[in-house]
Amino acid sequence: MDAYLVFEDGETFSGQWIGSPKETLGEVVFTTGMTGYQEVMTDPSYAGQIVTFTYPLIGNYGTVMGESESDAPTCTGVVVSELFGGGENGLAVWLDRHGVPGLSGVDTRAVVRKIRSQGAMRGMFSSNPRPTVTGWPDPLSAEWVDSVSVRTPVFHPAKVSDASHIVLIDFGYKRSILQSLIEGGCQVTVVPWFWPPQKIESLDPDGLLFSNGPGDPKAMLPWVSGWVPLVQKIPTLGICLGHQILALAFGADTQRLPFGHRGSNHPVKELATEEVWMTSQNHGYAVCSDSLDLAVWELTHSHVNDGSVEGLAHRQYPIFTAQFHPEAHPGPEDAAGLFQRFIDRVNAAKEVKVYG
C-alpha cells in the first residue's frame, strides 16, 4: 500500500507501509549505523522522532530477544530504503506488534541530503501526499522525557549487600547503561526524572547518574537548579541529555545542531591523551563551547568532525559528563571505561565517608 513521508515544507517522498500503517508526526532524523537497528528503535532518546536509516538494507537479521534498550520501540516511525527478512521475528511483524509505523522503498539518500542541506525538519507519515497538519510536536516540552521515564522507583540489587548504591535519574535511560552499572558491581535504583532532590537524597546514594533522553535539554530548565546542591556533594556522571542538563545547571548554554549526531561511528578525541574513540551517539543538541566558564569546567572530550563539546569535568565538584554513549563501546575499551572511572570515583568517595 502506497504511503508518503511529507516534510513540513511540503516536499514528499513516496514508499510503502510497513509495520502498523497509521498517520504520525515527528522530527525526521537520520542515523548512520550499519547494524543495531533494533537498539536504535528502542532507544528512548528517539521518542518523538521519525528515524531514517542511511544503511540501504535493514532487517536482515530480524529482531533478537534481549537486544532492545527498552520494552518497546520508542521512536515515532522508521524510514528504510529496503526492508529485508520476514517471519515471526521479522522487523515488519515486530513493528506491527508494537504499533509503530514505517515506510520502505523510500529514497533515503535524498531524504538525508535534504536534512543535511536544510537542517532538522519535522514530517509526517500519511496515505495522502497532501495531508492536513493541525499542529506539530514541540521538542521544547517535558512531555518527551515524561513519556519514557519510569513512574515509580525500581531497585536492582547487586551480588553483595555493601555494594555502592547508584541512583539513576531516568530521563529515558537505555538498559545497557543500567547493565554497565550492575556489571560494575553496583546496586542501582532507577527513579523518575520528576523526583525532588530531597527524595533522591533520602535513598542515601553513593553516586548519581543523569541518563540520556529525548527532546530539547532546555525543557528541563525549570528543574535544573534544584539538582545543583545534590551533585555538588555526590559523585555524578551525566550521559547525553544528562550531560547537557548538568551543563545547563551550572550556567552553560545549549544549541540545536544542524542535523545532529546519530550513528555508531562518531570520532571523539579525549583531550588529555589525544586518543580518538569511535563512539555511538544520538543527539540533536549540544553544549555551546563558548558558553562554558573554563574556570568552572574542564573540556575533556571534543568531536573530531565539528569540534562540538563531547565531555566535561567540573573543576570543583565530583561531576563529569559524556555527550556520547559509553555503554555502547563500539570502539576501544577506554570509551566503555568511563563507567569504571565513575564507579572507582564513587567507591573512593564511599570509603572516605565510611572510614574518614
Side-chain angles (χ1 to χ4, degrees), residues 27 44-49 138-145 148 171 212-220 241 244 262 283-285:
E27 180 186 14
S45 295
Y46 280 105
Q49 296 179 334
D138 179 12
L140 190 59
S141 169
E143 69 176 289
W144 304 113
V145 166
V148 293
F171 301 99
N212 62 293
D216 188 331
K218 289 181 180 176
M220 296 291 107
L241 180 64
Q244 298 162 4
R262 298 178 179 89
H283 61 103
Y285 297 84

Side-chain angles (χ1 to χ4, degrees), residues 25-29 48-51 120-123 137 139 256 262 285:
L25 303 170
E27 180 186 14
V28 184
V29 302
Q49 296 179 334
I50 295 172
V51 184
M121 195 173 295
R122 297 168 297 189
R256 190 173 188 173
R262 298 178 179 89
Y285 297 84

Side-chain angles (χ1 to χ4, degrees), residues 17-75:
W17 284 116
I18 58 173
S20 183
K22 61 182 180 182
E23 285 197 346
T24 191
L25 303 170
E27 180 186 14
V28 184
V29 302
F30 65 87
T31 181
T32 58
M34 297 172 65
T35 61
Y37 52 80
Q38 183 176 341
E39 291 91 328
V40 165
M41 295 177 195
T42 55
D43 178 352
S45 295
Y46 280 105
Q49 296 179 334
I50 295 172
V51 184
T52 303
F53 290 89
T54 62
Y55 190 66
L57 186 66
I58 298 296
N60 52 331
Y61 54 85
T63 56
V64 182
M65 183 83 66
E67 291 298 311
S68 294
E69 292 288 357
S70 57
D71 290 338
T74 52
C75 59

